[in-house]
Amino acid sequence: EKEQAKRYIMLVSVRHLTLSAVFLSPPSPKHDGRSKSRKLMSETRHVNRPRPRNMNLTMRSSSKDDGQVNRERLYLGMDFGTSGARFALIDKHGTIHSEGKKEYPQFMSEQRIDWIRSWKTTLFSLLEDVPVDLRPFVASISIDGTSATTIIIDSNTGEPLWRPFLYNESCPDALPAVKSVAPANHTVCSGTSTLCKLVSWWNIEGANKESALLLHQADWLLWLLHGKIGVSDYNNALKVGYDPEVESYPPWLLSQPYSQLLPSVQAPGTSVGFLKEDVRTEFGFPKDCVVCTGTTDSIAAFLAARATEPGKAVTSLGSTLAIKLLSTSRIEDARFGVYSHRLDDKWLVGGASNTGGAVLRQIFTDEQLEKLSEHINPMEASPLDYYPLQAVGERFPVADPKMVPRLHPRPQSDVEYLHGLLESIARIEAKGYKLLKDMGATQVEEVFTAGGGAKNEKWTRIRDRVLGLPVKRAIQTEAAYGAALLALKGTQA
């Protein structure tokens, strides 16, 4: 009996070690060139990851389940921002199981950054960073990208025909042609719109137009995963002229010769197809993992805040100040930089000012901002009246390209000066929400805050007083989390 007991203990120990190896072993190194992406600056961590159940694990025997452990499915979102990319892996309750980030590698081509290679490398690098023991449970994937970042590709091969047009790149050469066909003050009537970028490329002598196709950054990255070329979403397609209200491109756009390049459009978070077999097998994702249409980075950040009712708003206090309000009414006016994204049966109305944190950092260091803020009384109104801008020109809520920054007079006390600056930015925010209301948007009732400025509690209390509204810090502010919510949505349709 003692010998039988020893053998039983040894058998259980071996099984324990075997199962531990399955759940804890690192991914095997790749040898196809993608392993180079491991050299990127990265940070990955597990968050609230459920431990494997007791060692009496029940393995599924059904062939369609591939022998996976019977546990909760997960949803992967990836955010491709201006300077780097992130991923978030969540369950159906919104709990984060893992997240990570990477900076874009600076590949060069003809004295320019090769963004196509950089984004592609980063995409597969993020997939490698998803914990190997969680990959078999990923049910769906979605990606957000920077708004109006445009790629013209060959529809036969998927290869780019031209360098990408970045989100902030302006094509003033195309603006007269766009304004001649689009309705007055339409969203596309801006040099940075996707349509202006398309027209600018179309007018290039010798451009290969026959097989050309327009994709947005998120569309192209998702194509690398699902393999179905020419699919976009109505958030990304807004700035190329797509009308999300009637769910089609307007006649004035379809009558243009370059309309042949326009992609098909679906709602964000729509399942497009299964993950390509080569990607699935390389990284260990399940056979039934689907890839869903994406959205823009700013929309994904709004989704992350979980502001789901009309009247709820999100203010992003980063380098600039951007506001987005969930409304039952659609508002469009390019003169003020105001446009509306569709969110299911509602509208996300937004505008962006040139004021914000970048101006504060021109004057104070981060350490000074933190220490000076401690001495501010947020319940006391500042008599100082500024209009903090980095340079000449404002977009919203005052459309004035000649507006000059107003940063004086500067009092002797730095505490008073910072108080005046913070309160002045809060007044600009309040004017923005008032403008949206005056234009017909739903009255704002509550404001969630994202971005670095959300960490300053004194500023939050100042804004609470100036706006006359409850102001809260959003629990989740990362766009990757919003993209993961879209991936979850894609499995529920």
Side-chain angles (χ1 to χ4, degrees):
E1 292 180 356
K2 289 183 180 179
E3 287 298 319
Q4 287 180 344
K6 287 180 180 179
R7 289 173 183 173
Y8 178 78
I9 292 170
M10 290 177 65
L11 180 59
V12 170
S13 298
V14 169
R15 286 178 177 173
H16 178 91
L17 289 170
T18 303
L19 287 166
S20 297
V22 169
F23 281 97
L24 302 177
S25 60
S28 58
K30 306 291 187 295
H31 300 288
D32 62 355
R34 289 178 185 161
S35 59
K36 294 179 182 179
S37 63
R38 295 173 184 267
K39 297 179 182 179
L40 300 177
M41 296 294 294
S42 64
E43 178 184 324
T44 308
R45 63 191 182 101
H46 279 49
V47 184
N48 296 329
R49 182 174 57 134
R51 292 175 298 175
R53 299 180 181 124
N54 60 41
M55 298 318 295
N56 264 339
L57 289 168
T58 302
M59 305 299 289
R60 293 180 179 179
S61 58
S62 171
S63 60
K64 72 176 183 178
D65 291 328
D66 295 330
Q68 292 177 10
V69 180
N70 184 11
R71 68 187 255 183
E72 199 168 30
R73 301 304 298 271
L74 301 173
Y75 310 91
L76 176 61
M78 288 180 276
D79 161 49
F80 279 71
T82 56
S83 59
R86 295 174 180 265
F87 80 84
L89 190 62
I90 68 172
D91 61 28
K92 65 182 180 181
H93 306 292
T95 301
I96 299 175
H97 289 245
S98 183
E99 56 187 354
K101 61 182 180 180
K102 286 197 176 293
E103 297 175 1
Y104 294 135
Q106 301 296 295
F107 297 123
M108 302 300 293
S109 176
E110 298 179 357
Q111 298 183 334
R112 287 179 176 268
I113 295 176
D114 186 346
W115 287 112
I116 290 292
R117 183 183 175 194
S118 176
W119 295 331
K120 183 176 181 178
T121 300
T122 303
L123 171 65
F124 290 107
S125 184
L126 285 178
L127 293 179
E128 283 187 344
D129 283 353
V130 175
V132 66
D133 57 316
L134 298 183
R135 295 178 199 171
F137 309 103
V138 176
S140 55
I141 301 172
S142 188
I143 297 175
D144 73 76
T146 48
S147 177
T149 293
T150 308
I151 308 172
I152 308 295
I153 65 168
D154 186 318
S155 60
N156 297 318
T157 65
E159 290 299 314
L161 296 174
W162 195 257
R163 62 169 183 80
F165 293 90
L166 299 183
Y167 67 100
N168 59 350
E169 187 171 345
S170 183
C171 297
D173 58 297
L175 194 54
V178 169
K179 285 186 174 182
S180 70
V181 297
N185 304 321
H186 193 281
T187 301
V188 299
C189 296
S190 166
T192 58
S193 73
T194 310
L195 186 56
C196 277
K197 291 163 185 172
L198 170 57
V199 171
S200 181
W201 176 85
W202 183 262
N203 291 334
I204 295 173
E205 186 176 354
N208 181 12
K209 301 174 182 178
E210 291 185 6
S211 61
L213 175 68
L214 180 147
L215 290 180
H216 306 89
Q217 181 189 33
D219 307 336
W220 183 77
L221 290 166
L222 287 163
W223 165 70
L224 293 174
L225 300 183
H226 58 60
K228 297 184 178 181
I229 204 162
V231 182
S232 187
D233 65 88
Y234 60 56
N235 291 154
N236 271 298
L238 182 74
K239 292 183 179 179
V240 78
Y242 185 82
D243 188 340
E245 191 165 12
V246 297
E247 298 184 350
S248 68
Y249 291 106
W252 62 261
L253 180 56
L254 292 176
S255 64
Q256 305 306 312
Y258 44 77
S259 65
Q260 67 188 51
L261 276 71
L262 299 174
S264 65
V265 179
Q266 299 186 37
T270 300
S271 175
V272 177
F274 292 113
L275 187 63
K276 289 167 58 179
E277 185 176 359
D278 61 332
V279 178
R280 178 182 64 78
T281 55
E282 178 179 349
F283 293 99
F285 291 103
K287 287 184 177 180
D288 62 351
C289 180
V290 298
V291 182
C292 306
T293 50
T295 186
T296 67
D297 54 349
S298 62
I299 301 297
F302 185 92
L303 295 174
R306 310 297 283 266
T308 58
E309 298 297 325
K312 306 294 184 183
V314 173
T315 294
S316 296
L317 291 175
S319 299
T320 59
L321 181 150
I323 68 175
K324 291 190 179 297
L325 167 66
L326 196 59
S327 172
T328 56
S329 303
R330 181 183 184 183
I331 307 297
E332 304 273 350
D333 198 325
R335 294 174 300 173
F336 300 100
V338 175
Y339 52 89
S340 297
H341 279 287
R342 180 178 167 185
L343 279 185
D344 296 325
D345 61 343
K346 303 179 185 68
W347 298 95
L348 190 56
V349 185
S353 168
N354 288 336
T355 193
V359 186
L360 300 176
R361 284 199 170 110
Q362 280 185 332
I363 303 169
F364 300 109
T365 65
D366 287 348
E367 184 179 1
Q368 287 174 321
L369 288 170
E370 183 177 352
K371 289 184 176 181
L372 292 172
S373 294
E374 293 175 358
H375 301 285
I376 293 175
N377 180 0
M379 304 313 297
E380 182 178 312
S382 171
L384 300 171
D385 184 22
Y386 303 122
Y387 207 106
L389 297 171
Q390 276 190 293
V392 173
E394 174 62 307
R395 299 173 291 167
F396 171 89
V398 179
D400 184 358
K402 298 181 180 179
M403 178 178 282
V404 177
R406 191 167 69 249
L407 298 167
H408 293 91
R410 178 169 181 167
Q412 290 185 343
S413 168
D414 283 345
V415 173
E416 291 180 17
Y417 190 41
L418 178 59
H419 188 174
L421 292 170
L422 295 179
E423 186 141 343
S424 295
I425 294 175
R427 293 184 194 125
I428 295 169
E429 179 186 4
K431 288 178 182 177
Y433 283 117
K434 182 179 184 300
L435 174 64
L436 297 184
K437 178 190 174 184
D438 293 344
M439 295 176 72
T442 300
Q443 169 70 49
V444 60
E445 297 175 355
E446 185 177 28
V447 177
F448 295 92
T449 312
K455 301 174 184 177
N456 190 319
E457 286 296 329
K458 295 295 181 75
W459 199 2
T460 299
R461 299 284 68 82
I462 289 172
R463 293 170 53 232
D464 192 290
R465 171 173 52 79
V466 173
L467 269 64
L469 297 165
V471 178
K472 301 176 182 178
R473 182 178 179 182
I475 297 175
Q476 297 292 342
T477 61
E478 294 296 342
Y481 186 90
L485 291 175
L486 278 183
L488 171 59
K489 177 184 176 183
T491 64
Q492 298 175 332

